[in-house]
Amino acid sequence: MSDDQVPRPRGAEQGISPLRPYLLTAGRAQPVDGTLEIEAQVLTSRLGAASQARLTFERREIVSLCRDTKSVAEVAAMLGLHIGVARVLVADLAALGYVVLRRPAGALTQDLGMIERVIRGLEAIR
């Protein structure tokens, strides 16, 4: 059987990781910080930059990507991760001190202007 005939997992051709999400999160569906917003800004800390080589590949990619500030939604989109997986991984990295989070102030759930800007930003990434 040639490489062309080997069945590939769905999504493998589209730049989406063929790994099951629960493998990346050790079976967890919720982040350690259940309030982590998708618009929270993520920035690699000095500890994260110094420890990057010792991290697992998915965490290393996030630490590398966030040397410039990115939102959790951007991390998910740029790495081809489900948003729930990105929230779990980013929250883990923040709890360990590898990234710093800047959380939005105030209740955003009722700020329709902010929601529209986030949606436009996510659409621009695609």
Side-chain angles (χ1 to χ4, degrees), residues 5-86:
Q5 297 173 332
V6 174
R8 296 177 192 261
R10 282 180 36 190
E13 303 85 21
Q14 301 166 355
I16 299 171
S17 173
L19 291 176
R20 295 287 185 198
Y22 59 82
L23 292 175
L24 299 174
T25 64
R28 293 173 296 137
Q30 294 294 319
V32 290
D33 179 357
T35 63
L36 180 60
E37 306 88 355
I38 64 170
E39 67 271 19
Q41 299 294 301
V42 185
L43 182 64
T44 298
S45 68
R46 288 184 184 182
L47 174 63
S51 305
Q52 186 176 349
R54 294 188 303 264
L55 298 174
T56 58
F57 75 93
E58 66 276 5
R59 288 172 174 81
R60 185 174 39 232
E61 286 182 337
I62 293 171
V63 168
S64 177
L65 182 66
C66 292
R67 289 183 184 269
D68 296 320
T69 305
K70 303 280 186 295
S71 70
V72 175
E74 289 174 306
V75 169
M78 295 174 124
L79 297 179
L81 297 172
H82 184 278
I83 189 68
V85 172

Side-chain angles (χ1 to χ4, degrees), residues 79-126:
L79 297 179
L81 297 172
H82 184 278
I83 189 68
V85 172
R87 288 181 67 222
V88 169
L89 296 175
V90 167
D92 287 350
L93 289 167
L96 295 170
Y98 295 134
V99 296
V100 177
L101 299 176
R102 290 191 201 138
R103 313 289 291 266
L108 296 176
T109 56
Q110 299 190 8
D111 184 349
L112 293 179
M114 173 62 87
I115 294 170
E116 288 175 2
R117 287 191 301 273
V118 169
I119 290 171
R120 282 193 299 270
L122 291 172
E123 288 174 345
I125 293 172
R126 289 196 286 164

